[in-house]
Amino acid sequence: MAPRPQPPRLPQPPHQPPYANQSPDWLEPAMAANGIGSWDWDIRADRLVCDARALAILGLEELGPAGGGADDGEEPAITAEQFLALLHPEDAVVVRRRVERAVASLGQCGAYYRTVFPSGEMHAVRFRGRVLADEDGRPAHMVGFVWDATVELLKRRRADRAATVREERTLFIREAAKALSEAVTTADVARVFTELPLPGIPPDGLILAVLENGRIQILAASGYDGDSRPPHDHVPLDADHPAALALRTRTPVFLASQREYRQRFPGAWAPVVGHPKHAWAFLPLVASGRPIGVCLVSFDEDHALDHEERTLLTTLGGMVAQSLARARLHDAEHELAAGLQRVLLPRRVPPVPGFDSAVRYLPAGTGLQIGGDWYDVVPLPSGHVGVVIGDVQGHDVHAAGVMGQLRIALRAYAAEGHPPAAVMSRASRFLADLDTGHFATCLYAEVNVDYGVVYAVRAGHLDPLVRRSDGSAAVQHIAGGLPLGVDPEQGYPVTRFGLDPGEVLLLCTDGLVESRRIDLDEGMERLRRVFAGAPGADLGALADRIACAAADSHERDDDIALLLLRWEGPADTRARHQLRRRIGQADLARIAEVRGELRDAARRWGVGDLSDTVELLASELITNALVHTDRDAMLTARLFHDPENGHQRLRIEVEDESDQWPKRRTPGEQASSGRGLMLVEAMSDAWGVEPNGSGKRMWFELVSED
C-alpha cells in the first residue's frame, strides 16, 4: 500500500514581541494610558527584554537607554535569575513554579508578587504571560504584560490590618467577657478592668470609679504613678465634669485633646492642667437602668477615636457595668452573711485551765456562705468544761437564725450545771417549741478538768474522734438518740470515756467528711488519717490541716464546724482538788453517777481510805436536798491540806434553794427514813448547815492523816 500523502506544512511566521511593528495602532496608546508594560523572555537564550514602561514598573530604569544600561543598538535585558532576585523571597518561589508549569505545558500564567526597588520601597506587580513555541513545537518565548499593583497591595494591607483588628477585637470582647464573668468581688472586677489590653487602641491609663453617696470615687487605676494621680476622684454627680455628664446622660463622653477638654469643661479643667494625659473616653456604667460608676480610658497623645473604636469601648463599658453590679451585690451579701455568722458564733473560745482548744468554721462554697453549723466551749459551774458541736438542717439565713437561738439555749442549760443528758433533752424540747420546721444534730460533752473523764451525749450527730498519746486516732463511739426537735420527750443516754494528758478530742460536722463524691465511711477514714500524728503539735496548725483536707473543698455544698480540745492534765492544785456537780430534781440516776465521781476523786486525791464514807454521806445529803425541796442541788467537794496538824480535810457541800432547814429526828426501828442526819453526825468529823442566799448549804468534813 502506497503511503498516504501528507498535507504540505505551512511556513510559521517568525516570532515577534508584542511591541513589534505588527501591533495594532491603538494598542500602544491603550497600554501607555493604563501604565502597562510589555516583555519578551527568550527561553533558550535566557534573555528577558522589557520596554521602558516595564523597566519602570520593575524598578530597572537604569537598564534603559536613558540610564545607559545597554550598548548602542542592543536592547536592555536581564536573565531569569536576575529577575527572580528582584522579588520577595516568598513570592519568587511561587513565580518560578508557575512559569515552569506554563513552559512545560506551552500554556499561560499570571502572578502577583512584591519587589523592592533600589530605593528600598516595597512595590507590588502583576504580570500575565503566554508561552510561544517554535516550528518544532518546543517552547521558545514567553511574552506578556506587566503593570504596577502597589495600590492593590496597600488596599490589601489595609484590609488585612482591618480584618486583623476586627479579629483581635472579637477575641478581646470574648476574653474580656469571660474574665469579667469569672470576677466574683468588686476587687476582682477592678483588677480585670485595669489589666485589659485594648486591641488597636492601647490606652495609657485606665480608671474604674463607682458612684457612692452622690460622688464618683475611684476604685482602681492603672497607668498613673505617684506624680500623676488621677484628677477625677470624688467628683460630685452634679458637677460640670465629663464623668458626671456621662453618668447623668448615660452617654459616653469622648475628648480627643486637652484643647477640647478645656473648651467643653472649663470648670473641670484646672485639675487636668499639667497632667500627662491628652485624650479621654468617659464610659458610663449603667446596670438595670441605674448608674453605678464610670470607666475612664485615657491616652498620652491626642487621639480622635473612630466609630469602631467608640463602639468597642461602649460595649466594654456595658460588660463592666453588669459585672460590677453583680460583684457589688455579691460583696453586700457576703458581708451580711459573714457579719451574721460572726454574731451567731462565739467571738472567742474562753480559756479553760488544763485545756487547749482550736475551732474553725468554713462556710459553704455556694449560696450565701452561711449555715446552721456551730461550735461552743462552755465553762461549767463545776469548774469543768462543756464542748458542743451542732448542725441545724440547711445552710441559709433561716438555718443560721435557728442555730443562733439553739446555741444560746444550749449554752444556758449547760452553764446552769445540768448534766449532759438533761442539757440535750432540754435543747430538744426548746427546738421543738420554736416550731421552725428545722431539726438539728448535736453532740455535747462535759469534760472533767480534774482527771479527764468525758460524759458525752449524741443527738443524731457524728461520733467524735480521739487522738491518743501515741499519735494514733480512732472513732469514739457514743450512744445516740434522735436529732434535736424530732421527739422532745426522748431521753439521751450518756457515754463515759477517759482522756489521758495530751490526748485530743475532735468534734466536727458532716460537711467535713461527706460530700457528693465521698460517702460518710470514706470521709471518716480520711479524717482519721489526717487527724493522726505526733502528739504535742500546735492545735491551730492541726485544725488548719484538717480544714484544708475537707472533702470536696473547692465545690463544698455544706458548711463545716470543727472543734479540737486537748486535755493537758490538772492545771493546778485547786483544780486538782475540787469537784462540782449539779443534780437535777428529776434526774435521780445522777446521784449514782456523782457517787462514782466522788469515789474516783478521793482515790486520785490520795484519800482513798475515805471513799466509802464520803460516798455514803454525800448520797444522804443529796437525797435529803432533792426529797425535801423542789429544786436542783449543787454538790461541791474540796480537799484541804493542813500542814500544821499533818492531815488532810475533805469537805463536802450540798446547796439547794429551799429556806426549810433540816430537822434531826430519832426514827423508830421500823421507820424507812430519818436516819440521814444521824449518819452524817455519827460518821463525819464535823458537819453543819449555813444560809446561802435564798437557800442553804449543808456540809460535812472528813479528816485523813497524811
Side-chain angles (χ1 to χ4, degrees), residues 366-564:
T366 58
L368 287 180
Q369 298 186 336
I370 188 173
D373 289 17
W374 88 95
Y375 55 82
D376 211 347
V377 177
V378 187
L380 302 178
S382 61
H384 299 166
V385 61
V387 291
V388 187
I389 198 79
D391 182 1
V392 175
Q393 170 197 12
H395 48 86
D396 52 18
V397 174
H398 192 193
V402 174
M403 176 270 287
Q405 298 178 76
L406 181 59
R407 184 185 77 83
I408 294 173
L410 195 147
R411 182 181 181 88
Y413 297 144
E416 288 177 353
H418 296 291
V423 169
M424 197 69 86
S425 296
R426 295 188 180 204
S428 180
R429 191 174 300 110
F430 172 83
L431 182 56
D433 291 342
L434 286 180
D435 194 22
T436 63
H438 284 67
F439 65 86
T441 64
C442 183
L443 190 148
Y444 172 69
E446 181 178 333
V447 186
N448 189 305
V449 179
D450 301 333
Y451 47 96
V453 174
V454 181
Y455 299 91
V457 289
R458 186 171 63 89
H461 203 77
L462 300 176
D463 285 318
L465 279 75
V466 176
R467 191 175 72 177
R468 299 301 181 185
S469 55
D470 61 357
S472 63
V475 175
Q476 177 64 53
H477 295 288
I478 306 296
L482 292 174
L484 302 180
V486 175
D487 182 3
E489 302 303 323
Q490 185 199 30
Y492 292 90
V494 179
T495 300
R496 181 179 185 270
F497 63 94
L499 296 175
D500 290 335
E503 294 185 340
V504 181
L505 180 66
L506 183 154
L507 286 70
C508 68
T509 55
D510 57 0
L512 183 63
V513 297
E514 193 174 20
S515 73
R516 289 168 291 181
R517 296 196 294 266
I518 300 178
D519 61 29
L520 182 61
D521 293 338
E522 180 183 354
M524 287 294 287
E525 175 59 23
R526 176 180 176 179
L527 175 62
R528 188 196 65 78
R529 292 195 301 267
V530 175
F531 184 42
D538 178 67
L539 281 193
L542 177 59
D544 290 336
R545 188 170 75 243
I546 294 173
C548 289
D552 201 14
S553 58
H554 295 294
E555 297 181 359
R556 206 171 37 249
D557 53 7
D558 197 3
D559 49 341
I560 294 172
L562 168 67
L563 188 150
L564 297 176

Side-chain angles (χ1 to χ4, degrees), residues 32-55:
N34 289 278
I36 300 176
S38 62
W39 52 271
D40 179 3
W41 177 38
D42 187 337
I43 299 176
R44 296 170 183 171
D46 190 16
R47 188 168 181 270
L48 180 62
V49 178
C50 303
D51 66 8
R53 281 190 300 273
L55 292 176

Side-chain angles (χ1 to χ4, degrees), residues 33 48 101 130-131 172 219 294 378 411 415 437 474 574 584 675 682:
L48 180 62
R101 186 164 57 242
R130 175 184 291 275
V131 177
F172 166 76
L219 185 64
V294 174
V378 187
R411 182 181 181 88
R574 180 203 61 77
R675 296 185 178 84

